[in-house]
Amino acid sequence: MASLVRSATLRFLKPLGNLTLNDAFNHPRTQTRSVRAFSTTLSPPSKAVVYEQHGPPDRVTRRVIQLPPVEVKENDVCVKMLAAPINPSDINRIEGVYPVRPQVPAVGGYEGVGEVQSVGSAVKGLLPGDLVIPSPPSFGTWQTHIVKDQSVWYKINKNSPLEYAATITVNPLTALRMLEDFVTLNKGDAIVQNGATSIVGQCIIQLAHHRGIHNINIIRDRTGSDEVKEKLKNLGADEVFTESQLEVKNVKGLLSGIPEPALGFNCVGGNAASLVLKFLGRGGTMVTYGGMSKKPITVSTSSFIFKDLSLRGFWLQNWMSTEKAKECRVLIDSLLDLAREGKLKYEMELVPFDNFNAALDKALGKQGSQPKQVINFQL
C-alpha cells in the first residue's frame, strides 16, 4: 500500500528541483501531502487494452498496458472485472465508424461483469463481493479494474452464469426490446428474421418460442447448412430456410400452418432484407438493427402501396437514452433468470486475458465463423 500511496503522492507534486526520489519523498511538502494520501483509498493498478487512435483493431490494440492506481472517491465503486465480450460494436468504435464512441486514447469494451472490490464512504447498496454489471453499459470494460460512480453499477444475482452476465445487455436486450416495441404480438402470431445465427437472432428464436410465437428464420447458404438448421430448431425455430431456398415466387407457400408474419427483423441488408419483406403480411413491419452485408435495403413500390409495409430501425443506445431506460435493469434480471434456467443460451468461448489478440482475430472473422469471444480476466 505504501508504494501505491507514494506513487499517487508524487503525481500531484510540483517540481522540487534536482532531488533524488528518496529526498523528494522525504521533503516537508511531500510529507504533508503523503499524510493526506494515506487517508485516500486507491484502486489496484489495472491492465487494460488501450487504443490511442482509431483504425483497424488488430493494429491499434495490440498492446496491453498497465494503468496506474486511481482514487476511489466517496461515491465511487472499484470493480474487479471478471469477464467482458468482444462485440461487433466494440470493433466499430475502435475503427472510429460507430456513431457514439469515447475520445482517444481509450480503453476498449462496452459491457461486462465484475466483482465489487471496494466502495467509497458514501456508497449505499453495494458491498465488496457483490456481482455487478455496468447498466446502462459503459465504455472501458477491457481492463482488470474499473473505478466509476456507484450509479453506473447494478447488482445482479451472484448465481448468474459468468459469461451470460457479461453479455446479457447488448444482444439479448436488443432481441427483447425489438419483440416488444414495434408490434403487439400474441401467442400464435409469427415473426420472420434474417441473420438467424447471430446472437441476437438466436435470442429472438428462444424468446419468441418461450412466448408461443412462431418464428421463421433465414440463413445464408453455407457448407454445413443442415447442421445449422438443426441447431436453430433445437433452440425453438419453427422454420429455417437458406436464401437459395427462397428463390421462388411465393415464399409463403413454403409455410405450413404458420400465419403471415406481422413483424420482421433485418440485420443483413441487400437481398436478405428483401426476403424478409416477401414474408410479411399486409401492414407488416420490418425492423432493421444491422447491415452486415453493407448493401442497401431495396423495397418495391408495390410493397408500400399494396401491402402497406412499414420500415423501422432500432438502436439499443438510442433506446437507453430515453425514459424507457429505467426498465433496463428489470429486464436484465428477467433475461438472467432465463439464462440460469437454461431457457436462453448461445455459444461463447471464454478466453484468458493474456490471449486477447487471438480472441480479437477470431472476433474479426479471420478464422471463419467463431463463437462470441468473451475475455475471462480470471484465467
Side-chain angles (χ1 to χ4, degrees):
M1 179 65 181
S3 63
L4 295 185
V5 172
R6 181 174 297 196
S7 64
T9 301
L10 292 178
R11 276 191 318 212
F12 294 101
L13 291 177
K14 295 179 180 177
L16 295 173
N18 296 321
L19 300 180
T20 66
L21 181 61
N22 190 59
D23 289 339
F25 190 77
N26 290 308
H27 190 280
R29 180 148 41 103
T30 309
Q31 288 292 310
T32 301
R33 297 200 180 195
S34 67
V35 170
R36 294 174 184 169
F38 271 107
S39 65
T40 300
T41 302
L42 297 176
S43 73
S46 183
K47 290 173 60 179
V49 176
V50 176
Y51 56 101
E52 297 180 353
Q53 61 184 15
H54 293 120
D58 54 350
R59 289 163 62 179
V60 300
T61 64
R62 279 300 178 187
R63 289 192 308 126
V64 174
I65 68 173
Q66 182 162 297
L67 301 178
V70 298
E71 180 183 353
V72 181
K73 298 178 182 178
E74 64 176 4
N75 289 309
D76 286 343
V77 176
C78 175
V79 172
K80 177 183 178 182
M81 293 302 292
L82 302 177
I86 303 176
N87 287 320
S89 55
D90 296 324
I91 292 170
N92 293 155
R93 287 186 180 92
I94 296 170
E95 292 170 332
V97 299
Y98 205 72
V100 176
R101 53 189 181 271
Q103 291 185 336
V104 293
V107 178
Y110 187 57
E111 66 174 333
V113 63
E115 182 182 278
V116 174
Q117 180 148 346
S118 63
V119 299
S121 59
V123 172
K124 297 180 179 179
L126 291 175
L127 295 171
D130 285 344
L131 198 64
V132 294
I133 61 173
S135 177
S138 181
F139 299 126
T141 57
W142 292 351
Q143 59 181 316
T144 56
H145 294 85
I146 302 176
V147 176
K148 290 194 175 182
D149 188 89
Q150 62 179 329
S151 62
V152 170
W153 304 106
Y154 178 56
K155 179 180 175 180
I156 61 173
N157 190 311
K158 292 194 73 169
N159 294 322
S160 300
L162 185 68
E163 62 272 32
Y164 288 96
T167 59
I168 201 68
T169 302
V170 172
N171 292 150
L173 191 56
T174 291
L176 180 59
R177 291 315 324 169
M178 292 196 301
L179 281 168
E180 294 189 348
D181 286 358
F182 297 94
V183 173
T184 299
L185 295 170
N186 298 309
K187 186 176 181 179
D189 289 342
I191 59 99
V192 58
Q193 67 167 341
N194 59 34
T197 58
S198 68
I199 299 296
V200 173
Q202 293 178 55
C203 289
I204 286 173
I205 290 171
Q206 293 169 88
L207 293 173
H209 178 73
H210 183 64
R211 299 177 180 199
I213 298 168
H214 299 290
N215 57 91
I216 304 156
N217 303 275
I218 303 168
I219 63 174
R220 61 182 174 83
D221 291 272
R222 68 185 80 188
T223 302
S225 59
D226 288 340
E227 289 81 359
V228 173
K229 290 180 180 180
E230 187 65 26
K231 175 183 175 181
L232 295 181
K233 288 190 175 182
N234 287 338
L235 292 179
D238 290 286
E239 296 286 354
V240 184
F241 301 104
T242 61
E243 293 183 19
S244 62
Q245 285 182 288
L246 301 177
E247 293 175 357
V248 295
K249 186 173 183 179
N250 181 22
V251 296
K252 296 174 186 177
L254 299 173
L255 303 180
S256 55
I258 297 178
E260 288 185 328
L263 181 62
F265 303 116
N266 164 54
C267 68
V268 180
N271 180 62
S274 299
L275 293 175
V276 171
L277 292 171
K278 288 173 70 174
F279 273 106
L280 290 177
R282 179 175 174 78
T285 298
M286 183 175 78
V287 180
T288 293
Y289 66 98
M292 291 189 292
S293 72
K294 298 183 179 180
K295 295 179 180 179
I297 299 170
T298 304
V299 188
S300 67
T301 302
S302 61
S303 294
F304 280 125
I305 296 176
F306 302 117
K307 293 182 67 176
D308 192 25
L309 297 184
S310 298
L311 304 185
R312 301 286 301 276
F314 181 83
W315 184 30
L316 186 66
Q317 181 96 28
N318 188 54
W319 179 80
M320 286 183 171
S321 299
T322 70
E323 68 280 357
K324 289 184 178 181
K326 296 177 182 178
E327 305 172 28
C328 177
R329 295 180 173 185
V330 175
L331 297 176
I332 284 172
D333 283 339
S334 67
L335 290 167
L336 285 173
D337 286 343
L338 291 175
R340 283 195 301 274
E341 295 167 5
K343 297 177 181 177
L344 182 67
K345 50 191 175 182
Y346 38 89
E347 190 176 0
M348 292 172 279
E349 181 180 358
L350 285 168
V351 183
F353 193 20
D354 289 343
N355 294 348
F356 173 80
N357 290 335
L360 180 61
D361 285 343
K362 288 184 178 181
L364 291 170
K366 291 185 178 182
Q367 300 179 30
S369 180
Q370 296 287 329
K372 177 178 283 293
Q373 299 295 293
V374 180
I375 305 165
N376 189 331
F377 297 99
Q378 302 179 100
L379 296 178

